[in-house]
Amino acid sequence: MTSPALSAEQEALFRLIEDTREHVFVTGRAGTGKSTLLQHLAWNTSKQIAICAPTGVAALNVEGQTIHSLFRLPIGLIADSQLEQSEPARKILNAIDTLVIDEISMVNADLMDAIDRSLRQARGRRAEAFGGVQVVMFGDPYQLAPVPPRGDEMRYVRDHYRSFWFFDARVWAGSEAALAAAPSLEGFAELGPYGSHLNIRELTEIHRQADPAFKAMLNAVRHGRVTADIAQVLNDTGARTPPEPAEGETPIITLATRNDIVNNINRRHLEALGGRSQTARAEVSGDFGRGEAGYPADMELKLKVGAQVMFLRNDIGRYPEPPRWVNGTIGTVTRIAGETVRVEVDGEEHDVEPAVWEKFRYAYDPGSRSLTRDVVAEFTQFPLRLAWAVTIHKSQGQTYERAIIDLGSGAFAPGQTYVALSRLTSLDGLYLTRPLRPSDIRVDPDVQRFMRAH
């Protein structure tokens, strides 16, 4: 399979990763092509790589494995607890040249240190960060944050870390204070401050938006530097009433902060359609993990003719033909018949069949002395989701020409407003259910500190 062509800055970053042993953090604004570069790396590297992500769905999206399953780590705060490693697990960790972590901003400092300690222990190289493995991380801390700890776990984190973000892990800080806070952890190297041993590279060429003025507004929201003039332009533009869709045109999608808002909008629209609803039930085989929260699509998908749907994965298997749809494409169901659902996209109808998501696990092949990826579970379902509305969190990585943004009682997480606005290709596609307020523009101060330091 041939991967998408890279821009000049993506190609230069690929060469840095491929031709050196440096630890690299690949970041950049929404729409700069971080996922494209990761995909290219996965298909074209000559190194033995393992790809992982903090959540099951994120791991499925990059055809990798969750961090916890790859490293056999316990759920919850790990701290300085004993790490149990089987012989097969040690062989896998010893075979890795480069560890790729996607959605790194959702990885907390405690988990980052556990990855480091696991690799040092398995490879018998306790004085070397990550046991000598190159670590390449992808993500944007301005968009997604790690889930904060509670109770005693929060008190532990406050005593041992500057913040819960991955970049404040001891493996990166390497200061005497950090080492003194963890006397039971052996072998932490003196790694120096930010930038010394973590090569932070920010992709700057935006592929999603073309209008320089809109790009500048999004950048202001990203960094929490929204002026009164910028806020007025966004609010004046977004204050319009969304138009009723013309015949054959899909309604404008709503991006909302909460699941209950999204579910109510989708249910209301589905019930308003005439005809009988039909339910497609997913088939699950193998060990797919922790229940429906980790599934890539609905276990039970209810559809009617006329339903607005969003594709959950790219059209595959047509290369060199262009894909008929990509992850995030919006369409309308025109026919439901047995094993196919016909969906109209931009005036063309396509028969969509159930897709198979494969859950992988890395294994070590002693014959070739290399890593293999084994399929341990499969999830089969139509790659569709009702899409009159979607949560801002699940809109991550998507692109829309038009969207209604519903912040409800307010953005409750840093970066949430930025994620929502940056899904749009242009300012003309923005509709707001209420004006943006200063409290909606939230940037984590630890992220600002870290990003200013490089």
Side-chain angles (χ1 to χ4, degrees):
M1 186 179 287
T2 303
S3 59
L6 298 184
S7 66
E9 71 168 356
Q10 288 171 325
E11 178 64 33
L13 195 40
F14 171 69
R15 294 268 45 109
L16 170 68
I17 295 166
E18 185 70 4
D19 298 341
T20 75
R21 302 287 305 157
E22 292 192 44
H23 304 307
V24 183
F25 171 39
V26 181
T27 189
R29 287 174 279 176
T32 50
K34 296 182 293 293
S35 297
T36 299
L37 177 58
L38 190 156
Q39 188 179 62
H40 182 89
L41 174 66
W43 289 349
N44 294 281
T45 184
S46 60
K47 298 177 179 179
Q48 289 280 324
I49 71 167
I51 303 174
C52 59
T55 67
V57 172
L60 287 172
N61 288 340
V62 292
E63 296 187 345
Q65 194 171 338
T66 65
I67 293 169
H68 284 85
S69 63
L70 177 61
F71 288 91
R72 309 293 197 268
L73 293 170
I75 301 299
L77 200 69
I78 299 163
D80 58 354
S81 59
Q82 187 70 29
L83 297 180
E84 301 292 336
Q85 290 180 329
S86 65
E87 184 62 26
R90 281 197 296 273
K91 286 183 177 178
I92 291 169
L93 299 184
N94 268 283
I96 298 172
D97 294 325
T98 299
L99 177 70
V100 178
I101 308 175
D102 195 26
E103 301 289 15
I104 187 62
S105 63
M106 297 177 71
V107 175
N108 64 59
D110 174 69
L111 183 55
M112 193 84 239
D113 280 335
I115 293 170
D116 171 50
R117 192 152 56 99
S118 294
L119 287 165
R120 295 184 197 227
Q121 180 175 309
R123 298 164 71 90
R125 297 163 72 173
R126 290 181 178 271
E128 198 170 352
F130 302 105
V133 170
Q134 179 188 31
V135 175
V136 179
M137 301 167 288
F138 289 81
D140 181 6
Y142 286 104
Q143 295 186 51
L144 287 173
V147 177
R150 297 179 180 178
D152 286 343
E153 291 191 354
M154 172 60 85
R155 284 186 279 277
Y156 174 90
V157 168
R158 284 176 176 164
D159 282 346
H160 290 77
Y161 291 104
R162 187 170 182 178
S163 82
F164 207 38
W165 287 88
F166 74 94
F167 47 74
D168 280 330
R170 297 184 196 92
V171 65
W172 302 126
S175 67
E176 290 182 10
L179 295 174
S184 59
L185 299 184
E186 300 176 8
F188 275 96
E190 283 293 329
L191 298 178
Y194 300 137
S196 296
H197 289 263
L198 176 57
N199 199 323
I200 303 165
R201 293 299 181 96
E202 186 163 3
L203 292 169
T204 59
E205 186 180 337
I206 297 175
H207 305 282
R208 182 175 293 148
Q209 294 94 15
D211 176 24
F214 188 42
K215 288 181 184 180
M217 290 179 204
L218 292 177
N219 203 39
V221 174
R222 183 178 191 242
H223 292 281
R225 300 170 186 159
V226 177
T227 63
D229 289 342
I230 291 173
Q232 184 172 353
V233 171
L234 291 171
N235 284 329
D236 288 351
T237 304
R240 301 163 297 157
T241 301
E244 289 296 320
E247 186 174 346
E249 188 179 41
T250 56
I252 302 174
I253 193 169
T254 296
L255 309 182
T257 53
R258 303 201 320 263
N259 272 310
D260 59 334
I261 297 173
V262 166
N263 292 338
N264 286 336
I265 292 172
N266 284 330
R267 183 171 57 249
R268 188 171 68 246
H269 279 279
L270 188 67
E271 290 172 352
L273 293 174
R276 180 174 60 91
S277 70
Q278 299 188 49
T279 302
R281 291 177 175 80
E283 295 180 7
V284 183
S285 63
D287 176 19
F288 221 92
R290 297 183 292 160
E292 294 194 26
Y295 292 157
D298 293 337
M299 188 66 194
E300 291 192 350
L301 175 64
K302 290 186 178 180
L303 293 176
K304 288 182 181 179
V305 170
Q308 179 162 300
V309 291
M310 180 173 71
F311 285 86
L312 299 176
R313 62 186 297 170
N314 296 346
D315 181 26
I316 58 175
R318 282 170 51 87
Y319 186 85
E321 295 293 318
R324 296 166 293 178
W325 59 79
V326 296
N327 185 9
T329 294
I330 302 293
T332 304
V333 174
T334 58
R335 184 168 177 263
I336 304 171
E339 289 299 304
T340 62
V341 174
R342 187 167 294 169
V343 179
E344 181 182 322
V345 177
D346 295 332
E348 290 190 35
E349 294 191 353
H350 309 289
D351 285 331
V352 182
E353 298 177 345
V356 179
W357 283 266
E358 296 176 326
K359 183 177 180 181
F360 294 96
R361 183 171 293 155
Y362 288 96
Y364 179 70
D365 181 353
S368 62
R369 296 183 179 179
S370 62
L371 287 179
T372 62
R373 283 192 315 168
D374 300 330
V375 176
V376 295
E378 292 184 345
F379 182 95
T380 305
Q381 176 61 289
F382 289 101
L384 302 169
R385 172 184 287 138
L386 292 178
W388 287 284
V390 65
T391 61
I392 293 171
H393 186 86
K394 287 183 178 174
S395 75
Q396 191 83 13
Q398 310 300 344
T399 300
Y400 307 114
E401 290 186 7
R402 302 185 302 171
I404 301 166
I405 296 176
D406 182 353
L407 294 174
S409 58
F412 58 81
Q416 200 168 40
T417 301
Y418 172 64
V419 170
L421 292 172
S422 61
R423 302 307 97 202
L424 291 164
T425 56
S426 73
L427 184 62
D428 292 339
L430 173 64
Y431 298 87
L432 295 168
T433 60
R434 64 157 175 81
L436 294 174
R437 301 191 285 253
S439 59
D440 295 323
I441 311 300
R442 301 181 57 189
V443 182
D444 191 298
D446 289 306
V447 172
Q448 291 177 311
R449 162 179 56 83
F450 169 67
M451 295 300 284
R452 275 198 303 264
H454 82 275

